[in-house]
Amino acid sequence: MKTHYRVVVTLLVLFTMMTTQAENNENPLLKTFQNIHQTAPFGEIRNEHFLPAFKAAVEEARAEVQAIIDNPQPPSFENTIAAMTKSGDRLSTIRKIFFNLNSAETNDEIQKIAQEVAPMLSEFSNDISLNPDLFSRVKTVYEQKDILDLTPEQHTLLENSYLGFVRSGANLNEADKARYREITSELSKLSLTFSENVLAETNAFELHVTKDEDLAGLPEFAKEAAAQTAQQKNKEGWIFTLQYPSYIPFMKYADNRELREKMFRAFSTKGNQGNEYDNKEIITKVVALKLEKAKLLGYESHADYTLQRRMAETPERVLEFLEDLHQASRPAAEKDFAEVVEFAKAEGFKDELQRWDWSYYSEKLKSARYGFNEEEVKPYFKLENVIDGVFNLAKTLYDLELKENKDIPVYHPDVKAYEVFDGDGKFVSVLYMDFFPRDGKRSGAWMTDFRGQWMEALTDIRPHVSIVTNFTKPTNTKPSLLTFDEVTTFLHEFGHGLHGMLSKCQYESTGGTNVFWDFVELPSQIHENWAYEKEWLDGFAVHYETGEKLPEDLVEKIIAAKNFQSGYASERQLSLGMLDMAYHTITEPLTAPVAEVENNAMAPTELFPRVDGSLTSTSFAHIFAGGYAAGYYSYKWAEVLDADAFSVFKTNGIFDRKTADAFRTNILEKGGSEPPMELYIRFRGQEPTVDALLERSGLKD
């Protein structure tokens, strides 16, 4: 009987292995991609492919790493450090496809898979970084760094590799390594849950309006979009949501204060409603786990740990930076606030100004002062025309040609795929663009990639970059007409895209946007500056119906209104940086409620009375589900860099090819291959100063 049982079990195991192998052979994620430029075969990929693909790719990656460990030759840069960059390529591809879809086109099934995959990937990552034999080889090479003949990029890769192991627990004892594994696995799951909760609360709310009088003040485009949303949901009237293209116009233009308050409270209480999607406990757990991980590794706080690998270097320097800008911004912010209060009073408003009143009266004041409002300029920013304007800017500055290719598979019908070519016709990149909101897409705007750039021997493997936004959708009668803020957002994300597309590095991990976090926003934010330049606007901004160019007086209004309430805007951004640092400079686990931490952190920048139940933290995905923990200050840090860098363009000409070539060569192409300040000085000739930012923002005396 025992022998018979063993035979049956053996046959079952063999049958299972053969079945699994056959299934893997048919799994498009485990095949060599045959589409143009080896782009992902989205049309062939189904949800059930992901889990077996991850499992197979993890085992393949383990084998590749084990081959490095088992190499009988003495450790060298090529057989250890460079070899590690080539291991796990298939796993990296699958990971990028899956998690990009989880952000841009998710569903319940994908989210369930993500919860299963996240700890698997965390375990695999820990198995690599905590492997003593692999670390021994890396350390041997690192200790020879001063006598090795390395290029600057190779030196950076070696430094990153060694510190990556150390900062991931390679020097810990076995008990602490075990705890480190537990922490990283738990953090990976918590960050996913945080993001899922925010998306669920965003999708759950709708403001259903059935009376015409409740639409008073709203522009036609907002009403038509709301009517279309209602129609899609098989309801009468109009539906407004918490998606930005719906929420922001409502808060700016709706005369009905009671409904503005309802919208604001729904938006500002996401993740703080005491239901199954509440994020407060997750926040407390996340910051405690990050602190524990930092202390395991020998740091006082998560901020100390994070900032060791940032331009800012220390929490003290970040806090000083934020405080200096706060002191420069506060007087202007108080003046901005007082002006809106006085304007509202003059309009007959008799109550205390609340947060749901700010956008409404601020927009009215801007219109009164500059004769400028979003409704007036939107007809000149048809999405297709803005695309042409952005592409022409890329042509003018960097000699790039972008051509749509409908043969490249996409993951949703809204997505467009482009081939990017250099001036000599050489292929540069694939660019996916995904513009409109939908239930499966998280809010905001971001750039990512499905494939990075690196050199494979003498072959330059070119990147596949994606830009994802939540712009105003077309309606039944109008095309997608962008607000001016959406135009600047487009430029911002396209700047990130250029950083990825133009990379010319040896290794993927040092190319593209793989840079210090407080440097990554320079390429994005500098490109926003062209939105305020008449020469650029003149090239594409025409009325979508008449073809009339954006009138010169409107261009002048846009430029004149550029610094409208810049003090208030600066304080708002600084408040988020302060909140981030409050969570991540703690040296003991949080005992205070999340609301108390937030109130105390944001008090120095506060201008409004607090609103019960309103919390920023519980939907602050940048720091609790993204990579900005102890790094949100980066936006203001990069503003200093971008204002200083754009001053060179202003001096030499905003379309000056020589200046653009210098920016491309020293910044966009170099990625993180060298220390960022060295790259910046190579472009600029000196370190940046805050003067250009204060002058541009109208905050300089």
Side-chain angles (χ1 to χ4, degrees):
M1 290 293 293
K2 289 182 180 178
T3 302
H4 175 69
Y5 175 76
R6 287 197 190 100
V7 170
V8 171
V9 169
T10 301
L11 289 173
L12 283 172
V13 169
L14 288 172
F15 177 76
T16 301
M17 290 174 62
M18 291 171 63
T19 302
T20 301
Q21 185 60 48
E23 290 174 350
N24 285 348
N25 289 340
E26 295 304 313
N27 191 322
L29 291 166
L30 296 174
K31 296 179 180 180
T32 300
F33 296 166
Q34 298 297 329
N35 297 308
I36 183 171
H37 308 303
Q38 298 79 52
T39 48
F42 291 113
E44 302 172 30
I45 298 170
R46 299 190 303 275
N47 288 346
E48 58 264 31
H49 290 138
F50 283 113
L51 198 55
F54 270 116
K55 290 177 179 178
V58 164
E59 291 310 307
E60 180 181 82
R62 287 186 190 279
E64 291 168 346
V65 171
Q66 192 60 46
I68 296 171
I69 296 170
D70 293 340
N71 190 326
Q73 297 299 316
S76 68
F77 180 87
E78 285 301 325
N79 71 22
T80 301
I81 307 302
M84 284 170 54
T85 68
K86 299 172 184 176
S87 65
D89 277 353
R90 192 192 306 274
L91 178 60
S92 175
T93 297
I94 296 168
R95 183 202 301 254
K96 287 182 176 184
I97 291 171
F98 177 77
F99 284 103
N100 284 339
L101 291 181
N102 193 38
S103 292
E105 183 58 13
T106 195
N107 53 49
D108 291 343
E109 188 178 359
I110 287 179
Q111 291 180 356
K112 183 179 178 181
I113 295 169
Q115 290 289 350
E116 188 171 352
V117 164
M120 180 199 307
L121 295 178
S122 177
E123 180 184 10
F124 169 72
S125 177
N126 286 331
D127 286 346
I128 302 302
S129 61
L130 299 176
N131 186 302
D133 296 327
L134 183 59
F135 179 54
S136 176
R137 292 186 68 93
V138 172
K139 187 176 181 181
T140 297
V141 180
Y142 182 75
E143 289 173 343
Q144 301 170 11
K145 64 177 182 176
D146 293 333
I147 60 173
L148 296 176
D149 184 21
L150 301 178
T151 66
E153 183 176 356
Q154 290 173 330
H155 185 275
T156 296
L157 179 62
L158 177 56
E159 186 86 6
N160 291 349
S161 299
Y162 175 74
L163 288 177
F165 274 87
V166 172
R167 287 165 57 81
S168 297
N171 284 327
L172 297 177
N173 61 44
E174 290 307 311
D176 286 344
K177 282 182 179 179
R179 180 56 186 152
Y180 181 90
R181 287 177 180 273
E182 293 172 354
I183 291 170
T184 53
S185 178
E186 184 67 12
L187 282 171
S188 69
K189 290 185 284 187
L190 287 171
S191 66
L192 278 173
T193 303
F194 185 99
S195 185
E196 289 167 5
N197 288 347
V198 174
L199 180 61
E201 297 244 293
T202 300
N203 289 338
F205 175 85
E206 59 182 46
L207 178 68
H208 188 195
V209 175
T210 57
K211 298 177 182 177
D212 282 327
E213 56 264 32
D214 288 335
L215 302 175
L218 286 168
E220 197 59 39
F221 79 86
K223 292 188 286 188
E224 187 173 356
Q228 188 166 309
T229 301
Q231 186 179 19
Q232 291 167 351
K233 294 176 179 285
N234 296 315
K235 294 184 179 181
E236 297 295 323
W238 304 263
I239 288 179
F240 298 90
T241 73
L242 299 183
Q243 296 281 3
Y244 285 123
S246 180
Y247 176 77
I248 291 175
F250 194 92
M251 299 306 292
K252 278 186 177 181
Y253 301 113
D255 292 338
N256 190 318
R257 189 182 187 223
E258 183 179 338
L259 292 183
R260 292 203 311 270
E261 179 180 356
K262 186 174 182 179
M263 286 285 279
F264 172 82
R265 288 186 181 276
F267 189 89
S268 64
T269 56
K270 288 183 291 185
N272 185 37
Q273 300 189 52
N275 57 16
E276 61 184 309
Y277 304 121
D278 197 282
N279 275 332
K280 294 192 293 297
E281 186 178 348
I282 289 178
I283 289 172
T284 301
K285 287 180 179 178
V286 165
V287 295
L289 288 169
K290 285 180 178 176
L291 172 61
E292 185 182 356
K293 184 179 81 167
K295 288 197 168 187
L296 269 180
L297 297 170
Y299 299 89
E300 287 190 21
S301 70
H302 178 75
D304 285 289
Y305 165 76
T306 297
L307 292 166
Q308 183 192 45
R309 301 293 288 160
R310 299 289 190 268
M311 293 178 75
E313 297 179 340
T314 67
E316 293 75 20
R317 192 174 179 194
V318 171
L319 293 171
E320 182 182 356
F321 169 75
L322 293 174
E323 180 61 24
D324 286 347
L325 285 181
H326 167 57
Q327 292 300 325
S329 304
R330 187 65 184 181
E334 291 174 345
K335 181 182 177 184
D336 291 342
F337 187 78
E339 287 176 347
V340 174
V341 169
E342 289 304 312
F343 178 83
K345 286 181 180 178
E347 290 282 298
F349 182 72
K350 294 180 171 58
D351 294 326
E352 183 178 19
L353 197 77
Q354 298 286 349
R355 293 178 185 274
W356 50 86
D357 301 314
W358 176 259
S359 293
Y360 180 73
Y361 284 108
S362 176
E363 185 66 21
K364 284 182 175 296
L365 174 58
K366 183 166 73 171
S367 180
R369 180 174 294 176
Y370 302 104
F372 171 82
N373 62 67
E374 294 285 7
E375 176 71 355
E376 190 177 7
V377 300
K378 276 171 65 82
Y380 297 91
F381 292 136
K382 180 182 174 182
L383 175 59
E384 289 76 9
N385 293 342
V386 179
I387 291 172
D388 289 342
V390 172
F391 285 4
N392 285 333
L393 181 64
K395 171 68 175 175
T396 302
L397 295 178
Y398 309 115
D399 200 20
L400 299 178
E401 295 278 357
L402 292 94
K403 300 176 182 177
E404 185 177 2
N405 187 332
K406 295 184 178 180
D407 292 332
I408 296 176
V410 294
Y411 57 85
H412 188 276
D414 284 350
V415 180
K416 294 181 181 295
Y418 296 83
E419 292 175 286
V420 185
F421 299 95
D422 234 327
D424 59 2
K426 184 178 180 182
F427 174 69
V428 172
S429 175
V430 170
L431 174 64
Y432 301 93
M433 294 206 293
D434 180 0
F435 289 114
F436 305 124
R438 52 183 176 267
D439 287 347
K441 183 194 286 191
R442 66 178 172 89
S443 62
W446 63 94
M447 167 267 176
T448 184
D449 67 60
F450 288 96
R451 185 173 82 180
Q453 177 272 326
W454 71 93
M455 295 296 297
E456 189 71 58
L458 297 178
T459 302
D460 188 357
I461 306 299
R462 298 309 303 169
H464 302 164
V465 168
S466 180
I467 291 173
V468 187
T469 64
N470 281 275
F471 289 163
T472 303
K473 296 177 70 171
T475 66
N476 294 329
T477 62
K478 291 184 179 66
S480 173
L481 302 175
L482 303 192
T483 66
F484 184 72
D485 283 345
E486 288 174 330
V487 174
T488 60
T489 296
F490 194 158
L491 286 167
H492 179 105
E493 299 307 334
F494 193 79
H496 281 310
L498 289 168
H499 204 184
M501 291 187 289
L502 294 178
S503 178
K504 291 180 68 174
C505 293
Q506 185 73 28
Y507 308 101
E508 184 177 10
S509 65
T510 53
T513 57
N514 294 306
V515 302
F516 278 7
W517 212 265
D518 46 9
F519 192 63
V520 76
E521 297 297 337
L522 168 60
S524 57
Q525 291 181 188
I526 192 174
H527 287 91
E528 292 182 40
N529 288 279
W530 273 270
Y532 299 94
E533 297 295 331
K534 183 178 183 300
E535 289 177 81
W536 182 63
L537 293 171
D538 279 348
F540 72 91
V542 298
H543 196 284
Y544 79 99
E545 290 179 313
T546 67
E548 173 196 4
K549 283 183 62 174
L550 181 64
E552 188 166 338
D553 66 317
L554 270 184
V555 176
E556 290 172 355
K557 290 173 184 177
I558 290 172
I559 296 170
K562 178 181 179 182
N563 288 330
F564 178 63
Q565 294 173 346
S566 59
Y568 176 86
S570 180
E571 282 287 83
R572 173 59 181 163
Q573 192 77 350
L574 291 169
S575 73
L576 297 173
M578 292 174 178
L579 177 61
D580 171 30
M581 294 301 286
Y583 282 117
H584 296 113
T585 54
I586 59 171
T587 55
E588 297 295 333
L590 282 182
T591 55
V594 166
E596 183 179 325
V597 175
E598 177 167 316
N599 291 347
N600 291 339
M602 302 177 88
T605 62
E606 195 58 84
L607 290 161
F608 287 98
R610 295 295 302 181
V611 178
D612 289 342
S614 174
L615 279 180
T616 296
S617 301
T618 50
S619 60
F620 199 175
H622 274 77
I623 67 172
F624 295 119
Y628 280 86
Y632 201 80
Y633 74 92
S634 301
Y635 285 103
K636 294 304 291 184
W637 185 276
E639 278 189 51
V640 172
L641 296 175
D642 98 70
D644 187 74
F646 191 67
S647 69
V648 183
F649 281 98
K650 292 292 284 185
T651 299
N652 298 336
I654 64 166
F655 298 131
D656 181 60
R657 177 61 69 84
K658 184 177 180 181
T659 305
D661 284 345
F663 190 76
R664 173 176 178 165
T665 302
N666 295 301
I667 305 294
L668 298 176
E669 292 182 354
K670 294 295 185 185
S673 60
E674 297 181 55
M677 189 58 78
E678 291 183 19
L679 295 176
Y680 187 83
I681 292 172
R682 205 173 296 160
F683 161 71
R684 181 71 172 91
Q686 63 184 46
E687 290 193 6
T689 68
V690 74
D691 294 348
L693 172 61
L694 296 179
E695 182 175 343
R696 184 181 70 183
S697 303
L699 301 176
K700 190 174 183 179
D701 294 334

